[in-house]
Amino acid sequence: MYSIESHQRTILAVFAAMVIFAAGAQPALSRTQPAYRYMIGAGFVSAIAKDPAASAALDGTHPFINIQTIKSAPGQAAAFPARPPDVPASWQPVYVYRWASEVQMEADMPRVPSWITVCMYDNEDAHQTPMTPDAEIADPASYYPKAAQVCHKAGKLFIPSSGIRQFRHQNQSQNDAVYGSATQWDGYSMQTQQGESDLSRFRTNVDSFQRHVLAVNPNAKIFIVGVGDFAGGQLQSPAAIEAAIKSLPPGMAFWMNFGPHAGRGCKDCPIPARPDLLVQVIKDLATKS
């Protein structure tokens, strides 16, 4: 019989093995900074792979590769590719698929390929198709555990994103109820990139998210911090992005949000994706003291 406890023990063992393997399998690179772990959109992989220094910086680091959303009609299973995207094997990548809807996740799960090992549930996304249903937005505390159960039953890690302090109608009791389901989380993806231009605020937000999750589930191991090239309505310089990443303690992964950008609060939008900037940031972090 499936049990959350046995699943968590298995996941923790796998995660520990990944960390140990990554530490022991690092190639001899000239780094003055520790190897960072990133979450990167699949569309950025080719630009990184073409740059020898940037690609080498990811060797053995198990980056999370976020598979582009596969559009499908609500309730109808998406057509997932049989093979993963072309990512350098030396990176030892971990593939993530992100859902905006728990209902869609249930429909998709029988067809999700085995090489996708991490589920992300982002229940406030208005850009994906299908979008988050109103019922899930109104009551995130009910849908987080449902999504976790779907992922764990399929033998995959569950990492939620958003849902906490993201909606104006949510009060503190609703936030507390969402955190209450963290017993079933394997980590948390923090949407913090809009605050990165203020490092004090940025660090406070990250610490707050992590503290709340660990208070409920001290076994949560994967924390992904949002950073990017656009914060507070302004484009960010490489130095500002790198400072935000360096401001956090070791052990965090970083979701590299480098466009495209559009919508309210962006006076210069639309802003195209900037893989060249992402490559520069990765190289800088690998070599600069």
Side-chain angles (χ1 to χ4, degrees):
M1 180 179 295
Y2 173 78
S3 79
I4 294 296
E5 291 79 10
S6 63
H7 176 83
Q8 285 183 330
R9 286 195 295 269
T10 301
I11 289 298
L12 290 174
V14 171
F15 182 79
M18 288 171 58
V19 172
I20 292 169
F21 182 74
Q26 292 287 344
L29 299 177
S30 176
R31 288 194 180 112
T32 55
Q33 290 289 329
Y36 293 96
R37 190 177 192 187
Y38 302 112
M39 179 168 164
I40 299 166
F44 290 91
V45 167
S46 61
I48 301 170
K50 289 177 183 176
D51 187 291
S55 184
L58 298 189
D59 283 348
T61 63
H62 302 284
F64 296 104
I65 306 299
N66 187 20
I67 304 301
Q68 182 176 356
T69 302
I70 302 169
K71 294 183 179 181
S72 59
Q76 295 184 11
F80 289 88
R83 297 180 180 83
D86 188 13
V87 178
S90 59
W91 296 3
Q92 299 166 14
V94 175
Y95 295 101
V96 179
Y97 189 78
R98 184 166 62 109
W99 282 270
S101 165
E102 184 276 332
V103 173
Q104 186 65 39
M105 180 189 289
E106 286 199 63
D108 287 344
M109 196 55 66
R111 296 191 182 182
V112 177
S114 60
W115 51 266
I116 293 177
T117 57
V118 178
C119 305
M120 183 174 286
Y121 176 51
D122 185 355
N123 70 335
E124 52 81 62
D125 199 304
H127 304 291
Q128 291 184 256
T129 303
M131 296 183 294
T132 307
D134 290 342
E136 296 184 36
I137 291 176
D139 185 19
S142 293
Y143 285 92
Y144 270 73
K146 289 181 180 180
Q149 290 166 14
V150 170
C151 294
H152 287 162
K153 187 175 181 179
K156 301 181 187 297
L157 290 165
F158 176 72
I159 301 179
S161 182
S162 191
I164 302 174
R165 297 188 305 188
Q166 297 289 330
F167 306 114
R168 285 174 293 180
H169 65 265
Q170 262 185 240
N171 56 36
Q172 187 57 47
S173 64
Q174 287 175 307
N175 287 331
D176 291 342
V178 172
Y179 279 122
S181 70
T183 54
Q184 301 182 53
W185 304 358
D186 298 300
Y188 185 64
S189 173
M190 316 171 199
Q191 298 196 11
T192 51
Q193 58 270 21
Q194 287 302 315
E196 72 183 46
S197 57
D198 180 338
L199 292 184
S200 177
R201 174 191 172 197
F202 179 69
R203 177 65 186 264
T204 297
N205 287 342
V206 171
D207 288 347
S208 176
F209 280 128
Q210 186 180 36
R211 182 174 63 253
H212 278 82
V213 173
L214 290 176
V216 178
N217 180 9
N219 291 322
K221 297 296 184 184
I222 303 172
F223 290 93
I224 304 176
V225 179
V227 296
D229 65 331
F230 187 79
Q234 301 290 327
L235 288 171
Q236 299 297 299
S237 68
I241 299 165
E242 293 158 20
I245 292 174
K246 290 179 179 180
S247 73
L248 296 177
M252 302 285 184
F254 298 95
W255 186 346
M256 308 297 276
N257 292 274
F258 282 68
H261 303 289
R264 292 181 299 176
C266 180
K267 64 181 180 179
D268 297 320
C269 279
I271 299 171
R274 299 199 289 169
D276 55 332
L277 182 62
L278 176 56
V279 168
Q280 180 181 345
V281 168
I282 290 172
K283 290 196 296 185
D284 286 349
L285 289 170
T287 58
K288 290 182 178 180
S289 59

